[in-house]
Amino acid sequence: PQGNEVRYRVREQLMNIDFPSDATGKTSKIVGGIAVDGKGAVLDGPKFTIDLASLTSDKEMRDNFIRRRTLQTEQYATATFVPTGVKGLPFPLPKSGDVKFQLIGNLTVKTVTKPVTWEVVGKVDNGSLSGEAKTSFKFADFELDKPRVRSVLSVEDDIGLEYTFFLVPAKS
């Protein structure tokens, strides 16, 4: 459904600016989901797929560099997250209310797959789940080259990922 967005966030120091800022890119081109049984165990199969070529920030030059050099989206068009477990989510899900839990799974970027844990804060409303999930990792964890261009003085090593989501129950 509508309302899903993935963002990256990386701290950078640009030339001619006296303070660091966050480079942020985003996309709403996400497909997939998660399936759990009545006891909260994650079922095999469902995954989330993100269209990396559709990531955009406030600077077209940054977007082009990230597509061509960092993510190589012509060769590796998508990233995938395959959920493998949840911690702290009550089951059965309440009909409504706030929830806070961890979503564990395997993230694949280019040819590298690594386990990641997302910190999730959400709200349950009649079977739907909305909220935000956050995780972070280093460029080297996924064999990504840090951007190096003249207009960028420095780029921190941490990449933050954020996922604003609105998930609905699958139709039987």
Side-chain angles (χ1 to χ4, degrees):
Q2 298 293 321
N4 289 273
E5 181 179 87
V6 170
R7 293 174 300 284
Y8 70 79
R9 191 175 301 276
V10 177
R11 178 67 55 151
E12 67 182 4
Q13 175 69 52
L14 299 176
M15 187 181 295
N16 300 325
I17 298 180
D18 294 334
F19 52 89
S21 61
D22 285 343
T24 305
K26 61 185 178 179
T27 183
S28 59
K29 292 190 175 185
I30 308 145
V31 294
I34 182 171
V36 293
D37 67 15
K39 296 179 184 176
V42 174
L43 303 175
D44 287 340
K47 65 183 177 181
F48 294 91
T49 302
I50 299 103
D51 177 353
L52 297 177
S54 66
L55 285 167
T56 57
S57 70
D58 62 340
K59 298 201 180 324
E60 189 174 341
M61 284 179 57
R62 175 190 297 124
D63 300 340
N64 290 334
F65 185 91
I66 289 173
R67 283 186 202 112
R68 277 187 255 138
R69 302 283 305 276
T70 304
L71 295 173
Q72 300 171 320
T73 58
E74 285 188 22
Q75 188 173 358
Y76 310 103
T78 62
T80 58
F81 175 71
V82 178
T84 59
V86 292
K87 278 186 176 176
L89 185 61
F91 278 94
L93 278 175
K95 293 219 182 267
S96 64
D98 296 333
V99 292
K100 187 175 181 180
F101 62 97
Q102 292 181 318
L103 179 60
I104 300 153
N106 295 310
L107 178 64
T108 301
V109 179
K110 292 170 56 171
T111 61
V112 179
T113 301
K114 297 275 185 172
V116 297
T117 299
W118 296 79
E119 300 296 328
V120 182
V121 176
K123 184 176 198 78
V124 179
D125 185 20
N126 290 321
S128 297
L129 178 63
S130 60
E132 185 167 79
K134 294 182 180 184
T135 193
S136 65
F137 53 85
K138 308 271 186 218
F139 277 87
D141 292 343
F142 288 92
E143 300 175 9
L144 300 173
D145 294 330
K146 285 171 56 171
R148 297 189 196 293
V149 294
R150 285 185 298 183
S151 61
V152 179
L153 297 176
S154 66
V155 174
E156 288 190 11
D157 198 31
D158 294 315
I159 300 172
L161 291 184
E162 303 166 353
Y163 178 30
T164 301
F165 60 87
F166 181 69
L167 303 175
V168 296
K171 296 178 182 165
S172 300

